[in-house]
């Protein structure tokens, strides 16, 4: 049996090696390393895939979030509401821009922003809401967008873990996550559902003015060379990465389907285990399983991780410390910031290997490892 890994990008590469190698060689021979044709091509292909008007590539997902906030032209001290239960990149950029992260609770079923908590956290200073489609499951966007509209607040979606996820509105409309709010952000970090062979990211928007502003900010605040209108940054997607992403985008649906079938296997395998809650899926969306995350309800999560490790079955805790308990945010940890659901999830969650290359033997081995622990 192939060794178990949280992600297996090497085996995945093996299946597309000829096409990827040729795409990289083409870039090398063209020497168009910066903003080459593959970057424009990829942005256009991704815009078509997502049915969104503008895709602006950038250097990584963290930059995408930072640029999105910069594009909204906020003032120091303005408040940005975001879940505490997310990867640090979501919240770090808020503080970096001298804005105030306001941490809210997530729903214990879907691990995403709780709309009731969101509405309670809104103040006169709230300028943006950053929901996260965590683990590949969409946040309840219909409710979040309705609240945002009522208060006139912009929504930036952190779609780094959910590229390809479908959202179904009550009126029958179907859209891709990341295209629902004012701006969507994603990451092409190698382990993401659409992963490059290095860093990469992108922003999505249907708003022409915002797209122009984003483009300008990502390019030193200039729209005409050497004329800098706003303070920006230097954030580009390498041509080599764009060329590789072009090869992989064609397979994104197939990759997400492979993740979904591994998740279906786990869901069936663990359905009867009283101490486990398998990941739930809301009827309003699909699930692209960036992570397969269980809740261990008998207090033995860390013991399970050790038991699995002894059998060479990897697992991860995403994330061991929620934002509102991170040292870097000490200044924002107020009395009001009590998030019991987030704290509980932090103690209960464990993620199992999930990727496009898991075979039956590997899945059965992981199943046996988990079930044996609860028999022991
Ligand atoms: C990966 C990730 C990011 C950041 O992406 P990078 O490309 O690593 O900068 C942001 N938010 C979430 C939820 C992520 O999972």
């Amino acid at each position: 049996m192939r060794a178990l890994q949280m992600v297996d990008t090497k085996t995945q590469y093996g299946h597309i090696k000829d096409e990827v190698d040729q795409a990289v060689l083409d870039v090398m021979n063209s020497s168009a390393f910066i903003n080459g044709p593959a970057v424009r091509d990829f942005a256009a292909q991704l815009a078509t895939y997502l049915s969104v008007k503008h895709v602006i590539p950038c250097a990584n997902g963290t930059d995408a979030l930072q640029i999105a906030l910069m594009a909204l032209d906020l003032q120091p001290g303005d408040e940005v509401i975001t879940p505490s239960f997310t990867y640090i990149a979501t919240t770090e950029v808020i503080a970096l821009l001298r804005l105030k992260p306001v941490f809210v609770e997530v729903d214990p079923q879907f691990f995403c922003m709780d709309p009731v908590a969101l509405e309670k956290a809104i103040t006169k200073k709230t300028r943006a809401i950053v929901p996260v489609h965590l683990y590949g499951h969409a946040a309840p966007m219909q409710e979040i967008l309705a609240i945002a509209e009522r208060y006139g607040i912009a929504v930036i979606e952190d779609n780094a873990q959910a590229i390809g996820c479908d959202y179904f509105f009550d009126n029958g409309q179907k859209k891709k996550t990341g295209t629902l709010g004012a701006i969507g952000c994603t990451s092409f970090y190698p382990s993401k559902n659409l992963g490059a062979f290095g860093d990469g990211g992108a922003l999505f928007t249907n708003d022409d003015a915002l797209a122009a502003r984003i483009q300008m900010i990502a390019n030193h605040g200039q729209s005409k060379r050497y004329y800098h209108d706003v303070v920006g940054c230097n954030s580009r997607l390498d041509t080599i990465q764009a060329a590789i992403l072009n090869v992989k985008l064609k397979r994104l649906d197939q990759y997400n389907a492979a993740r979904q079938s591994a998740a279906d296997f786990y869901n069936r395998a663990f359905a009867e285990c009283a101490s486990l809650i398998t990941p739930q899926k809301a009827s309003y969306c699909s699930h692209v399983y960036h992570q397969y995350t269980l809740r261990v309800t008998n207090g033995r999560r860390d013991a399970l991780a050790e038991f699995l490790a002894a059998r060479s079955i990897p697992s991860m805790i995403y994330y061991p410390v929620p934002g509102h308990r991170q040292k870097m945010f000490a200044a924002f940890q107020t009395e009001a910031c009590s998030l019991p659901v987030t704290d509980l999830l932090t103690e209960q969650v464990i993620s199992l290997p999930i990727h496009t290359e898991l075979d039956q033997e590997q899945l059965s081995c992981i199943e046996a490892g988990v079930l044996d622990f609860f028999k022991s």
Side-chain angles (χ1 to χ4, degrees):
M1 189 180 74
R2 253 185 297 125
L4 296 167
Q5 295 172 275
M6 287 303 289
V7 285
D8 185 355
T9 50
K10 191 167 179 182
T11 305
Q12 189 190 60
Y13 168 52
H15 299 305
I16 54 173
K17 185 175 175 359
D18 291 347
E19 216 178 317
V20 167
D21 290 1
Q22 191 56 55
V24 172
L25 277 174
D26 288 348
V27 176
M28 308 255 261
N29 286 318
S30 77
S31 289
F33 298 117
I34 302 294
N35 290 334
V39 178
R40 284 189 295 281
D41 191 29
F42 172 63
Q45 301 293 338
L46 186 57
T48 303
Y49 175 84
L50 295 169
S51 294
V52 73
K53 213 163 162 193
H54 305 276
V55 168
I56 302 106
C58 67
N60 56 65
T62 311
D63 272 11
L65 289 158
Q66 181 185 324
I67 293 164
L69 288 167
M70 288 169 81
L72 296 182
D73 204 13
L74 311 179
Q75 300 306 309
D78 282 351
E79 294 177 2
V80 180
I81 301 176
T82 181
S84 171
F85 195 67
T86 179
Y87 181 53
I88 197 70
T90 318
T91 47
E92 183 183 34
V93 293
I94 299 169
L96 183 73
L97 295 172
R98 298 276 177 254
L99 306 168
K100 183 183 172 195
V102 175
F103 297 112
V104 295
E105 203 63 290
V106 290
D107 182 293
Q109 244 191 319
F110 309 124
F111 308 107
C112 290
M113 183 182 273
D114 174 356
V116 175
L118 161 66
E119 187 156 16
K120 278 198 197 132
I122 291 174
T123 73
K124 284 195 178 69
K125 286 183 142 183
T126 308
R127 291 289 174 273
I129 301 166
V130 186
V132 182
H133 306 309
L134 199 72
Y135 304 149
H137 185 285
M141 290 302 291
Q142 183 167 307
E143 282 140 291
I144 291 170
L145 290 171
I147 293 167
E149 194 177 343
R150 213 174 319 130
Y151 292 86
I153 303 169
V155 175
I156 298 172
E157 298 171 76
D158 183 341
N159 198 43
Q161 300 192 359
I163 193 128
C165 178
D166 288 313
Y167 197 95
F168 309 103
F169 288 89
D170 285 349
N171 65 5
Q173 254 194 332
K174 178 176 112 173
K175 290 185 183 179
K176 293 287 186 194
T177 56
T179 70
L180 315 173
I183 306 173
C185 298
T186 206
S187 163
F188 306 119
Y189 186 81
S191 64
K192 297 285 155 82
N193 291 35
L194 179 59
F197 286 20
D199 277 310
L203 299 99
F204 322 133
T205 184
N206 283 307
D207 183 315
D208 295 342
L210 266 180
R213 225 182 124 69
I214 289 165
Q215 192 93 55
M216 184 150 87
I217 290 167
N219 184 25
H220 298 292
Q222 66 189 342
S223 43
K224 183 177 166 194
R225 206 167 195 189
Y226 305 126
Y227 292 79
H228 306 273
D229 298 345
V230 296
V231 175
C233 55
N234 174 24
S235 191
R236 296 183 287 243
L237 178 66
D238 280 353
T239 311
I240 286 180
Q241 299 305 336
I244 294 165
L245 287 166
N246 265 327
V247 174
K248 293 187 72 177
L249 177 58
K250 288 184 275 181
R251 295 166 172 89
L252 178 57
D253 285 343
Q254 173 198 323
Y255 288 159
N256 281 341
R259 288 172 177 273
Q260 279 158 0
S261 69
D264 289 345
F265 175 89
Y266 286 141
N267 283 340
R268 282 193 301 274
F270 307 137
E272 304 302 320
C273 190
S275 302
L276 289 178
I277 301 175
T278 55
Q280 308 293 299
K281 189 190 75 63
S283 55
Y284 62 68
C285 66
S286 66
H287 198 324
V288 294
Y289 293 99
H290 174 62
Q291 298 299 342
Y292 183 84
T293 304
L294 294 160
R295 287 174 61 190
V296 182
T297 55
N298 65 355
R300 299 184 67 208
R301 190 267 314 266
D302 293 343
L304 169 61
E306 275 173 41
F307 183 90
L308 294 175
R311 291 190 177 197
S312 300
I313 300 172
S315 65
M316 289 290 283
I317 310 304
Y318 299 117
Y319 296 92
V321 182
H324 74 291
R325 297 197 179 279
Q326 295 287 357
K327 253 193 217 164
M328 70 152 78
F329 295 132
F332 306 110
Q333 284 152 5
T334 59
E335 292 281 306
C337 198
S338 158
L339 303 173
V341 174
T342 296
D343 286 335
L344 178 70
L345 293 177
T346 301
E347 285 161 24
Q348 291 186 337
V349 290
I350 185 166
S351 300
L352 296 179
I354 192 148
H355 52 78
T356 58
E357 310 302 320
L358 281 164
D359 62 31
Q360 200 51 53
E361 192 185 8
Q362 291 176 311
L363 286 168
S364 299
C365 170
I366 297 164
E367 172 189 18
V370 173
L371 295 181
D372 284 353
F373 171 77
F374 288 102
K375 278 185 223 145
S376 66

